[in-house]
Each structure stands twice: as structure tokens, then as C-alpha cells.
Amino acid sequence: MPVVRIFSKVAKQALLSTPGCGCQPLTVAVRNISFSPRQVTSDASFHSVSFSETDHPKVLITGGLGQLGVGLAKLLRKRYGKNNVILSDIRKPQNSVFHSGPFIYSDILDYKNLREIVVNNRITWLVHYSALLSAVGEANVALARSVNITGLHNILDIAAEHGLRLFVPSTIGAFGPTSPRNPTPDLCVQRPRTIYGVSKVHAELMGEYYHHRYGLDFRCLRYPGIISADSMPGGGTTDYAVQIFHDAIKTGKFECNLRPDTRLPMMYIDDCLRATLEVMEAPAETLSMRTYNINAMSFTPEELAQELQKQMPELEVTYEVDPVRQAIADSWPMNFDDSNARNDWAWKHDYDLPELVQTMLNFFGSETRMARFN
């Protein structure tokens, strides 16, 4: 488009002629980020809690076959319509996922491919779930750096260029051993010691920078440990809280890789998905910040096991501590202060520990448990 190229050239020359600017901010200019005529402000449309048939957001979810992507797609499709939410990943989806709504191959490291998807499908919201989690990331730092950081840069540039509303999740892993742990506020020292945590702090700061510098409508929630019955653990340090239910049903025994007194913030997946929807729909003027803590409950492996044993007294729990995972957990918050989320956009959780355990067991079914122990 000649007008865009001319506009970019003039703006580039203006930057180069600015006194005191010895830098070369021109990698951004190549993608027309700061000069895009379609740049929108943070209070753009699509933030009303109710949508007419003609102004539904068109959503792309990257890393959509992970623990949260499929669940969020189901929730968003119910609210906005099946064809308005596109799942994407580099893996082959199960038949049930493939036939539940639009699915497309998308590699976040392929900038051109991502850009084509956004343009061809007229995407307005982008939910970026692609990432390597904590323990998996420590096992392959180079890959985690590539996926979690380079992939994020592609997402940020495309979202800014096309005026998208962008959601990138963060994590308890964005904090470190020098952060206040009980409770951990939204704003405090962040010095994580995992590549996963470092990449998430990077994502928070880059998203806020793009918001202030380019008007990107960036939104971020720091998730606690997420517990879901219908997906297998994905390599996170908090995944023991999912694995215990699978093992309890299958064998009646569970070996935990964290100390019994390791306290971490946790959340049932339904609360997590609802919080994501609510912050995406929140009017921009209600948001006092761009990255929020959210929390529901905080418990230890021992407390979770005791609650589970109330309904499965035969369950045997032992502890074989994994030093890597334990060191990660010991550097993380014990409890989140999420008062800003509760004040700004009325966040409120539904599930505490007893409700969590009952819901998980109901999912697996009482007949399965009876068959195992009778």
C-alpha cells in the first residue's frame, strides 16, 4: 500500500533527525508498528459486557490445545458464536476438538503465517497461550526462550499493527525468592529464577510498554496453579494438584514431588476461564493497571490430600521431593493479593478447596471410585 510506505518513510526520517536519538528504532518501523494508520487506542470497541450480533469479537487463541485453550474456546464460542473463535496450535487436534469449531495451524515463530491468519480472518482479539511451562522450560531453556520470548515479540508486533485486544497470561512464576510471599501484591520486586518466570516478567513489561507506547490494548492476569479434570498435567510445578486426582482414581496411591507443607495459590479452571473472559470484556476505563493477580484458594499438598481422603479414605499419599520442582515452588508466592482485580472489575472466585475436590471427583464419577475400592 503506497500511502503506508510513504507514511512510514516520513516518520522514520523524522525519528532519525531527532536530536539525541542515536538508536535505530527501525526494526519496529519495518513492520509499521508505530506508524500503522490502523493503530487504535486502548479504549477501542469490543469491551462491552454485551455484544450485538454484528460486533462480536473475532478471537484467535494460540497454543489452543493446551490446558486452558480448549476450555476458553468453549466458553467464548458459547458467548460469541462458534465461528467467531479460532483455535490454533502446531499439533494435530483430537476429533472432538477439531469438530467443535474452527481450528487452524499456527506457529507463533512464523511471523508471516501469524499475520496472514489475523488478516484473513479479521481477528480483533488475540489470546496468547503458547508457552513452555516451568519444569519443562528448565529442561530445555533454549526452546523455552524461543517460544516464550521470540514468539511473544511476534504476537506483540502483529497485535499492535492491527489494533487487536491482546491477552497474555502470566503466572505465580513471575515472582522470585525476594518477592513478598504471603501475600504477594500486584506491584513488588520480581526476580524469578526460571526461564518461564523470566519470560513472563518480560511479557508483562513488554505488554505494558506497547500499551503506553503504541496504544496496544494489552491485558494480563497472573494465574495461580490451575486445576482441571479434563486435561492431563502439562509439566508445571503446581501440576501435582491435578495428578493426585488421576492417580487416586486409577491406583489409589499418589507420590507427590513437593514437600507436604508447600503452600501455593491455586484455582479451579472454571474460575480461571471466567476471570479471563471478564478481564477481556472489562471497559478499559475501569482498569487501573494492565497486569493483575487473581486468586481463589491457597493450600499445601498435605491439605489437599486430607480433603481428598475425606471421600477416599483408602488413598495412600507419599512424598518423593523433586529438588528442581521444590526449589521452583519455594521461590513462588504462597498466596496472592488480588484486591485490585476485585475492586477494578469485580473479580470473585466460586471454588474453594472443598468445592474443588467435590467437583473433581464428580467429574471422574462415583462409579469409577466404587469400582476401584470395592
Side-chain angles (χ1 to χ4, degrees), residues 304-324:
L304 175 59
Q306 289 172 350
E307 189 66 34
L308 187 51
Q309 285 167 336
K310 290 178 182 179
Q311 301 196 48
M312 301 180 68
E314 301 90 343
L315 174 63
E316 298 177 13
V317 179
T318 57
Y319 297 88
E320 185 66 36
V321 176
D322 177 348
V324 173

Side-chain angles (χ1 to χ4, degrees), residues 25-298:
L26 312 177
T27 4
V28 175
V30 168
R31 292 179 178 174
N32 296 321
I33 298 303
S34 53
F35 316 121
S36 172
R38 298 192 60 212
Q39 191 70 41
V40 296
T41 59
S42 60
D43 60 350
S45 57
F46 311 121
H47 55 58
S48 171
V49 294
S50 61
F51 295 85
S52 73
E53 193 64 33
T54 57
D55 63 5
H56 283 320
K58 193 68 180 289
V59 187
L60 174 66
I61 303 175
T62 68
L65 298 184
Q67 184 185 27
L68 296 171
V70 174
L72 185 64
K74 182 178 180 180
L75 180 65
L76 295 181
R77 284 168 178 165
K78 183 176 180 181
R79 186 160 179 80
Y80 304 135
K82 175 179 175 179
N83 293 323
N84 286 319
V85 180
I86 302 174
L87 271 178
S88 72
D89 212 306
I90 59 172
R91 294 180 291 150
K92 182 180 178 181
Q94 295 179 347
N95 286 339
S96 58
V97 174
F98 183 76
H99 293 295
S100 65
F103 179 88
I104 194 167
Y105 172 88
S106 176
D107 180 356
I108 61 166
L109 298 178
D110 186 340
Y111 178 84
K112 183 175 181 293
N113 171 246
L114 272 174
R115 202 164 185 244
E116 288 175 349
I117 291 171
V118 167
V119 171
N120 291 344
N121 295 281
R122 303 180 68 195
I123 299 300
T124 56
W125 285 11
L126 202 163
V127 177
H128 180 52
Y129 275 142
S130 296
L132 264 66
L133 301 183
S134 55
V136 175
E138 291 306 288
N140 194 336
V141 172
L143 181 61
R145 185 177 63 231
S146 179
V147 172
N148 295 7
I149 296 179
T150 304
L152 170 77
H153 291 178
N154 288 339
I155 292 292
L156 285 168
D157 286 356
I158 290 168
E161 178 180 4
H162 295 284
L164 309 185
R165 176 165 295 183
L166 174 63
F167 176 82
V168 179
S170 189
T171 168
I172 53 175
F175 298 99
T178 56
S179 304
R181 298 186 65 209
N182 191 21
T184 303
D186 284 304
L187 300 176
C188 65
V189 172
Q190 292 179 257
R191 290 293 184 272
R193 291 185 176 176
T194 67
I195 186 61
Y196 178 56
V198 168
S199 70
K200 287 303 183 181
V201 174
H202 180 79
E204 294 175 13
L205 295 178
M206 286 296 289
E208 292 181 19
Y209 172 76
Y210 269 59
H211 169 66
H212 293 296
R213 178 68 177 82
Y214 304 121
L216 174 64
D217 192 355
F218 172 81
R219 302 176 183 215
C220 177
L221 297 178
R222 293 191 188 104
Y223 290 159
I226 305 302
I227 302 174
S228 169
D230 57 356
S231 62
M232 292 299 295
T237 300
T238 59
D239 278 351
Y240 84 85
V242 177
Q243 191 67 54
I244 189 173
F245 290 96
H246 288 277
D247 290 359
I249 297 300
K250 291 178 182 177
T251 67
K253 298 179 180 180
F254 173 65
E255 182 178 274
C256 184
N257 52 30
L258 296 179
R259 290 194 316 267
D261 63 345
T262 306
R263 182 171 301 280
L264 292 169
M266 299 284 188
M267 180 176 288
Y268 184 58
I269 190 169
D270 284 9
D271 276 342
C272 175
L273 298 177
R274 181 170 52 81
T276 304
L277 171 63
E278 288 178 2
V279 77
M280 284 296 278
E281 288 188 339
E285 61 270 17
T286 67
L287 304 180
S288 64
M289 55 187 62
R290 288 285 151 173
T291 299
Y292 289 89
N293 293 341
I294 54 167
N295 199 20
M297 64 194 96
S298 183

